[in-house]
Every structure is written in C-alpha cells, then in structure tokens.
Amino acid sequence: MLDLTDFHNVHFIGVGGVSMKALALLCARCGLTVTGSDKADTQVLETLCKNGVYAYCGSSPDVVDRAELVVYTACIPENDAELSRAREKRKTVMERKAFLALIERLCKRTVAVAGTHGKTTATAMLSKIMSGQGVKFIGHVGGDLPGGEISLTDSGRDVFLTEACEYKRSFLALSPDIGVILNMKFDHPDCYRNMDELKDAFRRFAGNIKEGGLLVVDYGIKDEFSPRGVKKVTFGFNAGCDYRADDVTYKDGIYSFSLYRYSKYVGRYTTHVYGKHNILNALAALTAADGLGLDIVYAANSLSGFSGVSRRFECKGMLDGGARVIVDYAHHPDEIAAAIDTARVMTRGDITVFFEPHTFSRTKSMIDDFADSFYWADEVVILPTYAARESGIEGGSAYDLYMKLKKKKDACLYMEGYGAAADYIKTRLSKNGMILLLGAGKIQSVADMLFNR
C-alpha cells in the first residue's frame, strides 16, 4: 500500500483550486519538493510560490518528468498534456480523492464532513473548535478563509479533518472514524443519474466508517442510514435529536439558540455567521467535536469567534447609497433560496440577485427548481453560465434559465457579462437594500469591479 513518505517530488495539476492548494502546501510542509500547474494565472499561484511550491500558469511536461507522484483534480480532462506525459512516463498518477487517502494514513483518526450543502462551513467550524482545544491535526478545508488566511491547519498527526465531496463519489476513498452527513440533496447530474444513485453513494460513505466509529447525521435523514458496528447520533431542531437547537432567535441575520445534548441543557450560544442554516452546521461541528472527546461547552463558546468562510454570505462592501453587496457560493436551488431568505430578514429594502449558473448539466436537470428558488427576490439578473468542466447542452444554458424564470417573474434580466452587471449596479442599484452575487464561478469579480479591488 502506497504511503506519502514513499515520494520525494509531487506535482499537482490544477493546483489553483482551494483543495489542491491546501494539499500542495501540506506536502511542502512535510519536506517534499512540490510543483503545480493551473490554467489560470491567479494570486493563488503567487501565494504558493511564497510558501515553497513552484507553481505556474499553463502546461510544462518537462516539470512532470521530474515528479514521482502526479495528483490531478476530477475536472482535468484525460487529454491534458501534463497528465498524458505523466502516464507516458509511467509516473504514479492519482486523482485528488485517492491522494486524500494517503493523507488519511498519516494520522491516527479521521473526521470526514459530507453533505450536498454546508460542508466547507461545518469543516471550518470544527477546525476552529479543534484548534482552540489544542488538538494536533491536519485540517483540510475546501474554501478560502476571510482575510486571505490559508485554509490549511497542520499542527500534528492525531486527527485528519477533511471535507468529503460527493462529486464523482470522491468521498468513498476515505475510511473515517467519524463521518458527518449534513444533508443529502440531488446534485451533480453529470455523475448521478437520479436521487437513488446519490443516496446509494452517501450510504456507501456511511458504510466506510470504521467499526466502532461514529455517524453524525441530520435528524431529517437519519432513517436513510443503518451502518453496522457504528454509533449513529443526530442533530437538528426536532425534539428527538440527540444534539438539538431550541429557542432560536435572530437579529440582523445572526441567530442565537439554546443547545441541548441528549435533552440536557448545555447553554445559549450565537453563531455569528449569517443564516439559520448555519445553526445546523454548528450543531454538526459540535456533535463531531463531542465525539472526539472535546469539551462541548468550550467548543460552543469558541464558535462565537468564527467569522465564516470566504464567499459564504460574505459582505464585500456598501455602495454610497447604502446598498450592501454580498457574495455567496450558492449554485444549487436550495442554496439560492437560503441566501435570499437570509437577506430577507436583514433588510427592508429590495433584494436584487445576480446569478451565474454553474455547469450546463446542473441547470438543465434542475431548471424548474432554479426558477422557483428566486421567488422572494425583488429582481433577478441571470449571467452567462460558468461552464467549468462542461461544454454546452441544449436546454441547459443560462439563457434557457432566464426564459423559464421570465415566465414567473417580470423583474428579470439577462446580461452578457460581469462588466454589464457592475455598470447596472452602479447606475441603478446604489440605494438601500441588498445585492446578492450568487454562483460558484467568478461572479465575485463583479464586486471587485464595484470596489476597485
């Protein structure tokens, strides 16, 4: 069985991604010689170079020649020049999910956080808790942290904390001691034909939890899972939950709640991140922390200092007229609805949503759900699709979504790019209210244009 210590030179294809960036940095800190390439020339590459990783834009098969291990992301095409060179030279080649299994073997225990939504925030919350209680761990968070802080913790080898992504069943490479399932909604139609297939993948993930381990699962989907030899604990708002939030109150989008552990009152806490859904993320993190043997009171108090993850309802600034500009990674109908609901309790003004669809297959398979998700927005602007790994699909374009939405909402526009969106905001939307820039692509560049970053 391969081990990370078997290699001295590692190359990452697609190193600019948040997850790959963290893994490359980890390898550099382990004393390995690390190189990486990406198709986009971003600030990330400069950050990597400053931290001991030779990262560059483009493709350089000669660099691959010097590597012993080549790691690539699931979105890298099979005909990629560097990937092809690595296979031609018979290098050890593995997808990111397999590489995570190598990292897992470095540590005594693994905590893996899965779910269609919220796993980045819940993982970051748990990382905050573990750091506060002195746990020696590797923390792999799939999202940037505010202020440019590197989303990687490497304080020891007792625990490996990681997101467990369902895309292409990546999370099945892991064998966690504690597995967290936040929720389970249909997504990734390019690799799951239907909800049954997605459920089967999540059940297999739960089945990978080591005997004697712990499954932390949302109360609403608890009956979907019956892993053998594993303790199952639930979290949520329901009276039957093992870890429960009750007496929920909010002010300006920030929620407070009373925490109960097995029906016993623990204390009253505030999330300090926007949106009621983040109470569930906090509950999941606290439940997992308790499973690790950490002090749950201390853990709950430490979350008061958690300021969120970049692009998760992140305020980028306020326009001269008073409108707040919010960037959120929402690219699924449920996430869009949650972002708009959060905005609705924070403002009496109009809510204008700019949405950049992410992949054609997702848009086509959920186009009716997407159209419904904007119900509480006052105005919606659709931007061109961020294609990511895909080519166009008939019936799955951003304009198709616009035409569907136009039948439901008069205040709906289609714009051809980020510049047009920024100009529209400057000239029409400066007063009061809230502007939501939603999507998993590059829609945050609209905010950069607005505030000259």
Side-chain angles (χ1 to χ4, degrees), residues 22-23 54 65 105 110 117 120 136 158 167 224 260 266 270 277 281 292 302 322 325 327 353 360 371 389 411:
L23 295 174
Y54 173 54
D65 289 347
R105 291 177 204 140
T110 297
H117 320 303
T120 296
K136 304 301 182 183
D158 288 345
Y167 180 62
E224 298 282 356
Y260 290 84
V266 177
T270 301
H277 56 283
N281 292 330
L292 283 169
S302 70
V325 178
V327 172
V353 176
F360 301 102
R389 52 194 173 264

Side-chain angles (χ1 to χ4, degrees), residues 195-250:
M195 187 63 184
D196 287 338
E197 283 195 356
L198 185 136
K199 284 184 177 181
D200 178 69
F202 272 90
R203 291 189 189 110
R204 289 171 61 193
F205 167 74
N208 281 356
I209 298 173
K210 293 174 183 174
E211 186 172 353
L214 182 69
L215 170 62
V216 177
V217 62
D218 181 273
Y219 184 86
I221 56 174
K222 63 182 177 61
D223 293 335
E224 298 282 356
F225 304 96
S226 301
R228 295 181 179 179
V230 171
K231 182 181 178 181
K232 180 170 65 175
V233 295
T234 61
F235 65 88
F237 300 111
N238 190 284
C241 296
D242 298 318
Y243 295 77
R244 172 169 58 94
D246 203 353
D247 305 318
V248 176
T249 60
Y250 70 87

Side-chain angles (χ1 to χ4, degrees), residues 62-130:
D62 290 343
V63 174
V64 176
D65 289 347
R66 297 191 290 271
E68 299 163 335
L69 170 64
V70 175
V71 184
Y72 66 100
T73 66
C75 63
I76 299 297
E78 286 297 315
N79 62 354
D80 176 83
E82 290 190 341
L83 185 57
S84 298
R85 181 66 160 260
R87 288 180 171 146
E88 175 190 332
K89 295 290 185 178
R90 298 186 181 279
K91 306 288 184 179
T92 300
V93 177
M94 61 179 64
E95 197 177 322
R96 184 190 70 97
K97 61 183 179 184
F99 186 75
L100 283 177
L102 287 189
I103 304 300
E104 183 178 45
R105 291 177 204 140
L106 294 175
C107 299
K108 298 174 184 176
R109 291 191 289 174
T110 297
V111 180
V113 181
T116 312
H117 320 303
K119 51 186 174 284
T120 296
T121 297
T123 306
M125 285 178 167
L126 187 51
S127 179
K128 173 80 173 178
I129 292 169
M130 292 167 65

Side-chain angles (χ1 to χ4, degrees), residues 357 367 382-385 396-404 414 416:
I367 195 164
I382 303 296
L383 299 178
T385 302
S397 72
Y399 195 79
D400 290 320
L401 174 58
Y402 162 71
M403 293 301 293
K404 174 73 70 171
Y414 180 84
E416 285 294 344

